[in-house]
Amino acid sequence: MKQKYNIAVTGLNNTDNPGPGVPVIRGLREAKDFDVRIIGLAYENLEPGIYMDGICDKVYQIPYPSTGSDALMERIEYIHNIEKIDVLIPNFDAELFTFMKAEKVLKEMGISTFLPTIPQFEERHKAVLPEYGEKYGFDVPFSKTISSLNEIKKLSDKFEYPILVKGKFYDAYAAYNEDQVIGFYNKISAKWGVPIIIQEFIRGTEVNVIALGDGEGNIVGAVPMRKQYITDKGKAWGGITLDDKKLMEITKDLIAKTKWKGGMELEIIKTQDNKYYIIEINPRIPAWVYLAVGAGQNLPEALVKLALGEKVKPFTSYDIGKMFIRYSMDMIGDISQFERLSITGEL
Amino acid sequence: MEKLKYERPVINKINAGVTDKFGMGHKIPIIQELEGNKISDLTNKYGSPLFVISEKKIRDKYNTAKQAFTTRYPKVQFAWSYKTNYLNAVCKVFHSEGSWAEVVSGFEYDKAIENGVDGKNIIFNGPDKSIADLTKAIKNGSYIHIDHFDELFDIIKLTETVSEKPKVAIRVNMDTGIYPKWDRFGFNYENGEAWNALNRIMLSGKLELVGLHTHIGTYIMAPEAYGVAASKLADLAINVDKKFNHKIKYIDMGGGFASDNTLKGAYLPGKDTCPSFDDYADSITNALINSNLDTQNLPTLILETGRALIDDAGDVIATVLANKRLADGRRSTIIDIGVNMLFTSFWYDHEIYPTKQTGSHSEDTTIFGPLCMNIDVVRSAIKFPLIQKNDNVVIKRVGAYNMTQWMQFITMRPKIILIDTKGESHIIRENETGQTLTAMEKTPTHLT
Amino acid sequence: MKIKESIAISESGFMFDPSTGDSFSLNQTGKEILAFLKSGKSEEEIKEIMIEKYEIDNFTLEHNFYDFMEMLKTFNVLTAE
């Protein structure tokens, strides 16, 4: 009989800007080496994964990390007392920091996680990408963080137009001259504040890699993909696995050099002359993880094993030309489910 | 039949998307006492609102900070930042722990002297020092941190009339990779102004260059910025030694360490994200030890941290004046302390707690102060339990800046008490009365 | 003041208004007051019952009751008559 694990998963928001929770759970349910009982952790009461058949065995509401880690940990402890969680997989960017900080406390409770370290998490931020590229020897777009209009004048000898003008969190515009830079600077800073990131504009094709590092420099698995169609929110609705040796080398190299621990997604621009620029590093499993499962690499399963301290044999191949096509579907729910979740916080 | 415990009836709309806490059995924490003193006893004795300072918390915090630095660096000196909280009782607690005084005006300077601080243990910062202030500081052997060239020339000129040799440092501003860059204080590092000032001091031969000072900003969440700043000051010290064969005695890293309060607009609460003293100490001491400074002759490391040492030790007890519904149905609660006493509510989402057990229900609430002014908002949105008129609340972490920046406006400033390490309470500042104010007014005779 | 006919209040304190699709949560006292309103009791009768049952003075209850009714109006769960 296979071992059965209780696994808590967040990110059940399978909406038009989906979280990775549901695909992670699908991967876990298909795990070869163990069975699972899934405890869904939901922040909002309409996350589709709460209501989907065959996804969660039990769902609990949890408070937002913004409420403070005390309240969140108190809630996790309560759930743990009932459910005996073996592994917890957080899937939101906004909650990662809190869970990384709580890693030890969770471990003491008996809950395992497999997350990047705080220094790994911090050094890959958008605003410090140039330092990251220099430190580890990767091509990244040249960028500069500015906090006053005066600094724009000094940029002209460092950049060639067009350049990207980006907000700290959101918004990015391509500017073709200084006047436009000033215009976008004002527009973005009015909305999101300063600093503003000025980034070299790199022409090419965007490719993505999902990868899992064991924390000691070894890559456990990685699958590259190109988005085939993108929604107006910039999310892939279709993608295809690629055969790209260089992309895999870069991924392997990055994980080896940074000793990355946990899941990650690399966003890379491949230029006409075959150069690869890393434009973003997401510190968690991406929402398209089920494509990797479908292509032969069950990364969620591997992550659970790593979290439990088991040895994992690295994946060496994946199927090329596997595709994912996202779709939406209306489920039927009932007000009584909503009532139970709203009043008791459990479903 | 015994009657049941009552809770105000409440109805909340469940919004799709956002969850409510009560479904999760979340207990709203309450604060019933401060350092062993019941809230109701304190308000009965001293009235409301009431600022309460814990001597124990000050001493504990100070010792945590001190330990973080002294375990990493051989020579460490703290200097209490007067502007953060210059109540004499508070300053004296710090001085009794061994803190020097860090002052930024003649008024603060005199206060430090009156508090028994030796002139040689006073650091005089800031852009506003009069000739009389400077003369006094030079005579007392205090450390004068020069802010601008005009001040430097004033001091050089004073050496013609004052016999004591002035002990000076310069304040240096620099790019440490954080925003905003504070470039209005001191001399800039990157454009060579700081080096220029140091040369002028050394070449004048009339001043004793004792230290280098920086203060990179306020509420700095990035400890590594201090590391950058410490390396830059170390470089300046090394260059001075190379060119003039002169060793500076100290490097003053200023303050700016964050407290656990949550800045408005921050996603995660300050308690979860603010660096610890160990984080700051690590960054600063690593930078100094890894620099090319002579390890046999390391300069003393001075720290002027204010907020991070005192914020936690201050709480304020307030009383609910009224509960009321706004036009859109939102609940509002009016308490007896407003933004004129609680300046920090402009930049923090202060934690506010009830003082009595309530149910697990809460309502989205706006907490207003008592002023007849639209801007008097203590918390614009907080999930707050159902409390009644005359109930008390405790606003946490108000020890820094409030008791120095507060202003008399519409209402009078209340009492401040200190609870000593044995749990005894002492008034350390009386409440103002109408008399306090009118005593300073004068009415022209034709209006009498 | 009467509660809309179609409104359903469950034991858990959950209330659903089928005519608008809105959901609400109520605490114990709120739930009781609503149930009494729904059963046709007058405001005066309800207040008397509450005073009988709970540790509360007339004055505070009056105040809270008024506030609660205002909220019911805001949330549009009362009918006009």
Side-chain angles (χ1 to χ4, degrees):
Chain A
M1 218 185 82
K2 281 195 271 184
Q3 176 79 29
K4 189 163 187 169
Y5 296 130
N6 298 322
I7 301 179
V9 181
T10 72
L12 307 177
N13 54 329
N14 240 41
T15 59
D16 60 344
N17 182 5
V22 169
V24 163
I25 293 168
R26 290 178 69 200
L28 293 175
R29 292 221 178 267
E30 290 171 24
K32 279 203 312 285
D33 296 336
F34 54 77
D35 286 329
V36 289
R37 175 177 158 78
I38 298 291
I39 299 113
L41 304 178
Y43 289 106
E44 305 199 341
N45 53 23
L46 280 185
E47 293 180 20
I50 299 170
Y51 303 93
M52 288 167 75
D53 275 336
I55 295 298
C56 296
D57 293 294
K58 180 86 196 255
V59 176
Y60 291 88
Q61 284 192 350
I62 54 173
Y64 277 110
S66 59
T67 328
S69 61
D70 295 350
L72 181 61
M73 284 306 129
E74 192 188 316
R75 180 66 175 164
I76 300 275
E77 195 166 5
Y78 166 83
I79 298 167
H80 183 54
N81 283 336
I82 302 167
E83 303 290 348
K84 301 278 163 288
I85 301 168
D86 294 304
V87 178
L88 189 151
I89 308 179
N91 286 307
F92 281 117
D93 287 349
E95 69 186 358
L96 274 178
F97 186 81
T98 308
F99 280 112
M100 286 187 304
K101 273 217 146 169
E103 193 178 340
K104 246 179 82 188
V105 183
L106 290 167
K107 190 84 213 170
E108 278 160 17
M109 283 190 225
I111 303 175
S112 300
T113 54
F114 202 71
L115 300 169
T117 63
I118 288 181
Q120 286 174 343
F121 177 80
E122 293 291 346
E123 70 179 2
R124 47 98 241 157
H125 275 302
K126 187 157 71 174
V128 291
L129 205 55
E131 288 85 342
Y132 191 85
E134 196 178 330
K135 181 171 173 192
Y136 294 112
F138 294 105
D139 288 327
V140 299
F142 179 67
S143 70
K144 207 160 166 10
T145 304
I146 63 169
S147 44
S148 80
L149 277 171
N150 295 338
E151 293 176 77
I152 291 174
K153 292 247 181 298
K154 297 187 225 153
L155 294 173
S156 52
D157 50 336
K158 296 196 181 100
F159 286 94
E160 259 177 61
Y161 288 104
I163 57 179
L164 288 175
V165 186
K166 291 182 161 184
K168 197 162 36 157
F169 302 115
Y170 303 102
D171 272 1
Y173 299 96
Y176 291 83
N177 57 46
E178 192 177 305
D179 288 341
Q180 277 188 323
V181 177
I182 294 169
F184 293 135
Y185 179 95
N186 287 331
K187 189 167 170 174
I188 298 172
S189 60
K191 212 160 149 191
W192 304 110
V194 285
I196 300 291
I197 299 155
I198 304 289
Q199 193 178 69
E200 180 186 1
F201 184 83
I202 304 211
R203 276 173 217 283
T205 315
E206 184 183 331
V207 284
N208 303 75
V209 190
I210 178 175
L212 178 63
D214 70 354
E216 281 158 27
N218 306 306
I219 193 161
V220 177
V223 177
M225 174 277 282
R226 184 171 68 80
K227 294 173 185 169
Q228 288 171 297
Y229 215 116
I230 292 177
T231 68
D232 53 9
K233 289 204 167 159
K235 302 292 153 187
W237 96 41
I240 184 163
T241 58
L242 304 173
D243 178 17
D244 187 328
K245 303 257 172 341
K246 183 143 181 226
L247 197 51
M248 293 301 279
E249 269 169 37
I250 290 172
T251 309
K252 219 177 207 169
D253 195 29
L254 185 133
I255 287 193
K257 284 176 176 161
T258 62
K259 293 197 164 46
W260 185 266
K261 187 175 162 214
M264 65 145 51
E265 182 194 25
L266 291 176
E267 292 180 15
I268 290 176
I269 302 276
K270 185 178 167 184
T271 61
Q272 285 287 357
D273 53 348
N274 257 336
K275 284 184 87 173
Y276 291 73
Y277 288 87
I278 299 177
I279 54 169
E280 208 159 317
I281 299 165
N282 293 317
R284 44 152 185 89
I285 293 174
W288 55 275
V289 54
Y290 196 68
L291 177 66
V293 178
Q297 295 197 1
N298 194 332
L299 298 179
E301 179 181 6
L303 186 137
V304 164
K305 288 186 190 168
L306 287 168
L308 291 168
E310 293 174 22
K311 277 266 168 286
V312 180
K313 214 174 128 224
F315 293 101
T316 49
S317 66
Y318 56 89
D319 299 338
I320 292 152
K322 284 284 175 207
M323 294 171 59
F324 78 91
I325 303 100
R326 238 172 228 163
Y327 68 107
S328 60
M329 184 182 71
D330 301 346
M331 289 181 287
I332 301 304
D334 189 77
I335 187 75
S336 62
Q337 292 174 302
F338 188 72
E339 170 184 346
R340 266 181 60 202
L341 186 73
S342 303
I343 299 297
T344 64
E346 299 176 20
L347 187 67
Chain B
M1 199 183 77
E2 201 171 316
K3 291 193 179 182
L4 299 175
K5 205 167 156 37
Y6 169 85
E7 185 180 65
R8 200 154 66 82
V10 66
I11 176 169
N12 279 316
K13 187 166 173 185
I14 300 174
N15 293 310
V18 192
T19 61
D20 203 340
K21 263 196 286 190
F22 73 86
M24 292 173 249
H26 180 75
K27 272 240 173 65
I28 296 156
I30 58 168
I31 294 179
Q32 281 174 303
E33 49 171 53
L34 293 172
E35 302 297 336
N37 289 254
K38 273 209 193 129
I39 302 294
S40 50
D41 291 349
L42 292 175
T43 50
N44 285 340
K45 192 163 172 193
Y46 300 111
S48 168
L50 177 69
F51 279 91
V52 182
I53 292 174
S54 158
E55 184 178 342
K56 182 174 182 301
K57 281 191 193 160
I58 300 179
R59 293 188 188 276
D60 288 352
K61 200 64 147 188
Y62 177 84
N63 282 299
T64 309
K66 191 174 154 191
Q67 202 185 353
F69 283 92
T70 51
T71 50
R72 290 175 170 86
Y73 195 79
K75 286 181 271 180
V76 178
Q77 177 63 51
F78 281 80
W80 175 240
S81 155
Y82 264 49
K83 65 178 176 295
T84 313
N85 189 320
Y86 46 55
L87 286 163
N88 289 339
V90 169
C91 296
K92 285 189 170 176
V93 174
F94 281 105
H95 297 322
S96 77
E97 290 286 346
S99 258
W100 291 0
E102 183 264 317
V103 303
V104 292
S105 69
F107 154 69
E108 288 190 1
Y109 187 94
D110 293 344
K111 218 167 193 288
I113 295 284
E114 280 160 29
N115 280 329
V117 182
D118 186 336
K120 294 184 181 63
N121 295 338
I122 299 177
I123 293 170
F124 200 170
N125 279 326
D128 172 19
K129 307 180 192 91
S130 68
I131 295 296
D133 294 337
L134 288 171
T135 309
K136 194 172 357 179
I138 295 169
K139 285 189 169 158
N140 286 336
S142 305
Y143 301 115
I144 301 167
H145 289 187
I146 304 170
D147 183 72
H148 41 71
F149 279 113
D150 285 348
E151 185 183 342
L152 174 56
F153 295 130
D154 277 347
I155 297 173
I156 293 176
K157 195 144 186 276
L158 273 173
T159 57
E160 292 168 9
T161 50
V162 184
S163 57
E164 291 86 353
K165 194 170 185 182
K167 292 188 167 63
V168 300
I170 58 161
R171 174 159 176 174
V172 182
N173 71 62
M174 57 181 77
D175 181 3
T176 57
I178 52 161
Y179 171 81
K181 276 178 227 153
W182 273 16
D183 60 2
R184 61 165 286 194
F185 301 111
F187 304 89
N188 186 256
Y189 176 86
E190 282 79 18
N191 71 9
E193 206 182 41
W195 181 238
N196 183 358
L198 290 173
N199 276 285
R200 279 174 192 262
I201 290 170
M202 293 308 298
L203 294 171
S204 79
K206 290 174 178 156
L207 314 182
E208 185 189 352
L209 178 69
V210 285
L212 293 168
H213 171 220
T214 188
H215 190 125
I216 59 175
T218 187
Y219 206 90
I220 306 297
M221 303 279 281
E224 57 282 4
Y226 283 94
V228 175
S231 312
K232 288 184 175 175
L233 289 191
D235 280 347
L236 286 176
I238 291 159
N239 289 339
V240 168
D241 193 13
K242 261 191 211 150
K243 182 166 176 184
F244 299 101
N245 192 24
H246 174 82
K247 288 195 168 36
I248 60 126
K249 292 205 176 79
Y250 65 83
I251 282 184
D252 181 345
M253 293 303 298
F257 298 169
S259 74
D260 284 354
N261 265 313
T262 304
L263 285 180
K264 282 188 189 295
Y267 178 67
L268 292 171
K271 263 196 297 197
D272 292 352
T273 51
C274 283
S276 64
F277 285 117
D278 284 314
D279 297 331
Y280 292 117
D282 235 15
S283 180
I284 292 172
T285 59
N286 280 342
L288 292 180
I289 286 168
N290 296 336
S291 73
N292 291 324
L293 285 167
D294 175 9
T295 44
Q296 298 306 309
N297 246 321
L298 285 173
T300 299
L301 169 60
I302 294 182
L303 298 147
E304 299 170 355
T305 179
R307 181 200 313 274
L309 288 179
I310 190 69
D311 223 5
D312 260 356
D315 297 308
V316 67
I317 304 171
T319 304
V320 174
L321 298 177
N323 281 308
K324 123 183 218 183
R325 288 282 159 203
L326 302 178
D328 61 358
R330 212 157 22 109
R331 181 182 153 214
S332 71
T333 291
I334 305 165
I335 58 174
D336 62 355
I337 189 160
V339 292
N340 57 327
M341 309 287 172
L342 217 55
F343 258 75
T344 49
S345 52
F346 285 121
W347 56 85
Y348 296 141
D349 282 337
H350 273 298
E351 285 175 29
I352 306 180
Y353 293 96
T355 58
K356 288 205 278 228
Q357 201 62 56
T358 58
S360 57
H361 278 257
S362 58
E363 272 187 292
D364 282 321
T365 306
T366 302
I367 298 186
F368 293 113
L371 304 180
C372 197
M373 292 281 288
N374 199 40
I375 57 160
D376 192 18
V377 182
V378 178
R379 274 297 295 268
S380 55
I382 180 171
K383 282 252 178 223
F384 211 65
L386 314 171
I387 61 172
Q388 304 273 12
K389 180 178 164 69
N390 294 329
D391 283 350
N392 289 122
V393 296
V394 171
I395 305 174
K396 277 189 70 71
R397 257 181 238 112
V398 299
Y401 294 104
N402 286 308
M403 285 161 260
T404 48
Q405 288 189 32
W406 59 354
M407 62 179 186
Q408 185 279 321
F409 177 59
I410 300 182
T411 53
M412 299 295 153
R413 284 177 280 205
K415 282 192 180 68
I416 304 174
I417 61 164
L418 176 90
I419 300 181
D420 67 23
T421 50
K422 296 189 186 77
E424 298 293 322
S425 57
H426 312 266
I427 295 174
I428 57 171
R429 191 178 192 276
E430 274 295 352
N431 54 297
E432 290 170 348
T433 63
Q435 185 59 34
T436 320
L437 293 166
T438 47
M440 281 184 283
E441 291 190 29
K442 286 195 165 70
T443 311
T445 44
H446 73 279
L447 295 174
T448 52
Chain C
M1 288 287 177
K2 279 183 100 171
I3 299 291
K4 280 190 199 162
E5 196 64 29
S6 56
I7 275 181
I9 310 157
S10 72
E11 202 30 52
S12 62
F14 182 83
M15 184 176 105
F16 179 58
D17 180 352
S19 63
T20 59
D22 287 339
S23 309
F24 304 90
S25 70
L26 293 152
N27 65 350
Q28 182 62 27
T29 46
K31 188 178 77 185
E32 285 177 26
I33 293 172
L34 256 178
F36 289 137
L37 282 171
K38 202 163 151 45
S39 73
K41 286 203 170 22
S42 73
E43 291 180 28
E44 287 315 309
E45 284 172 303
I46 297 171
K47 275 185 258 178
E48 264 172 47
I49 298 170
M50 299 299 283
I51 297 241
E52 199 59 37
K53 185 170 174 187
Y54 290 100
E55 267 176 30
I56 187 66
D57 63 277
N58 214 333
F59 185 77
T60 313
L61 179 73
E62 175 67 37
H63 189 76
N64 294 164
F65 195 89
Y66 173 80
D67 179 62
F68 186 65
M69 295 303 283
E70 283 303 301
M71 286 312 286
L72 296 183
K73 267 189 235 162
T74 308
F75 288 140
N76 196 21
V77 295
L78 300 176
T79 55
E81 85 267 28

